[in-house]
Amino acid sequence: MNQSRINRVIANMQQKGLSQILVTSPPSVYYLTGVWIEPGERMLALLIRDDGTVTLYGNKLFALNGVVQAPLVEYDDIDDCVAILADGIQSGVIGIDRTWPSQFTLRLMDARSDVRPVLGSLPVDEVRMVKDAEELASLRAASKLNDAALKRTLDHLQLGMTEKEVGDFYIQSAKDLGSDVREFGSLVCFGPNCAEPHHANDDTVLQEGDAVICDVGAFVMGSATDEQKRVYEIVEQANAAARAAVRPGLPMKTFDLAARKVIEDAGYGKYFLHRTGHNIGVEVHEYPDCNSTCEVLARPGMVFSIEPGIYLPGKFGVRVEDLVVVTEDGSETLNALSKEFRIIK
Amino acid sequence: MNQSRINRVIANMQQKGLSQILVTSPPSVYYLTGVWIEPGERMLALLIRDDGTVTLYGNKLFALNGVVQAPLVEYDDIDDCVAILADGIQSGVIGIDRTWPSQFTLRLMDARSDVRPVLGSLPVDEVRMVKDAEELASLRAASKLNDAALKRTLDHLQLGMTEKEVGDFYIQSAKDLGSDVREFGSLVCFGPNCAEPHHANDDTVLQEGDAVICDVGAFVMGSATDEQKRVYEIVEQANAAARAAVRPGLPMKTFDLAARKVIEDAGYGKYFLHRTGHNIGVEVHEYPDCNSTCEVLARPGMVFSIEPGIYLPGKFGVRVEDLVVVTEDGSETLNALSKEFRIIK
């Protein structure tokens, strides 16, 4: 149990008038208890009350006894776990973690008509979004490792390889370099696939003149067209504009709009299909977003991606991604690998 | 779109008095539309009405236009996606997929006080639980491939290896053999770790006399104790008893209780910590369970695991797992690798 983090969560609950919340997402439970539990389809819930009491509800299969410091209520596969949880909840409003599977919320509503569930992730999200020194050190180390794995991957890239092969090589490189990431993904796109922001690595073969996205960084294999160079330049400028705008006290939307303006002014606005970025920490996507409507104010210790992109359907796509931490007077970029446009021969 | 499956879902909806449901889990959406979409934290919902209309709601980032055959409503990151979905929903009861993140259900309740969400996965789950010929062929092929990958792994096993190394070797073997599994896991436990049913592969080194669990199959490295042999025999008998009991028309609990009785009679009842098994198909864990309370009747075409286990804390654990398909007059076991007790030297 990280009592300092729990105390900050409870202060947030009091500020928002929430007397009880259920923290259920594995990363949030890990953040507060130090124990990573993958519940699968089973129920996991950390009940936090504003009087300071904390209780963890988990299946006996999670083997939490003696492992987690919080008071523990265990159930097994044939118990009615929601009824057991319902017994521990007080009448009135309860904050529910946004990712909790609906079956638990709906069954809780059935079991306790006197309890009214509302969205209740913010008290934890707002604590998680400001990184402490220990977390910043981990993120710095991870960025460094990622730079090194990406460099190895680029040095390894050859015509004829498939996206899957390059993705697997990147993952293996990261592992070889000491990465102990629990769930590891890679996103590699060649040619027209680069125009799909959420393309999944497939058997597409790398060909001469293909743009390449390795999730961070963008490259062209062989010779590059003028349009490829021009679009890369615009996206790189959008990325730089957003990073230059980062400062504590400004709403997150400011940074999105700074990137968006560069791309819109260049006439590619409708091809920038997504938000500029999102916070990162225990999870790859954390609260809040860096999008054009986000009013959350940047605070020192917040870490988020800045990853504007232009996606030209059927042709190619470019995304330039950085990881930045908000400092007292601006921002610091955690990754260091050069982002200059590369032509790989 | 698989219209035959959609029709069966609608028939189930009518039978349960549900006029509208939201299918949201990626495997279920894949099962019905043929398109696998990983929404991450974004909203994905297939709205099915009992009048036969089907609408897919997805983020533009999913790039579904032209890919999916269902009528499509797209939104982007700054739209209020729940408001857009709420516009398409009728007053009254709506069935909600059990895994849908609570944030969407709660926001839908806020947007439409005239809509009452209830658990609504069963119309789809009951269609998915009976496999058609195409699915059975895939599962047979997967079992065969798994047998081969496991055999390679056993041949490769040596003292001094870590659980992670063995797990990675198994995954690589499965890939080499042609597996194209989207998310691939392996569960390897050595020695006392075998007593944790949900142990995650770690750096534990394989030592002389260790029991080994490779998710399917159990082995001892070097010499085995009498207790190891005896416990293995009991679990193997429990597995066989459950398989012998499988027949269409009987409730799933019958098979769990058959395995459980063998283990209880042998005096190890309290060390059998979990259900006997669960259905398998598009997902590793599907509806329904094979546990001691499940009243769902077995039907030909249902495929589920039979995996009783005994877990002795701090000592070792044994689990013997098979994959069975219910036939017209009994069951067929899909995996073929010998389950006899092995001592690997």
Side-chain angles (χ1 to χ4, degrees), chain A residues 41-42 61 77-78 96 98 100-103 105-106 109 117-119 164 180 197-198 274-275 285 292, chain B residues 41-42 61 77-78 96 98 100-103 105-106 109 117-119 164 180 197-198 274-275 285 292:
Chain A
E41 73 275 32
R42 295 179 172 91
L61 280 182
D77 275 352
I78 57 171
I96 303 285
R98 62 196 144 78
W100 210 29
S102 286
Q103 62 162 319
T105 302
L106 293 170
M109 287 163 63
V118 299
L119 258 180
K164 279 183 182 171
D180 191 24
H198 273 189
H274 54 71
R275 61 193 172 193
H285 288 191
S292 60
Chain B
E41 74 275 30
R42 295 180 172 93
L61 279 183
D77 275 352
I78 59 171
I96 303 284
R98 63 195 143 79
W100 210 28
S102 286
Q103 64 162 319
T105 302
L106 293 170
M109 287 162 62
V118 299
L119 258 179
K164 280 183 179 169
D180 192 23
H198 274 190
H274 53 72
R275 59 194 173 191
H285 287 192
S292 60

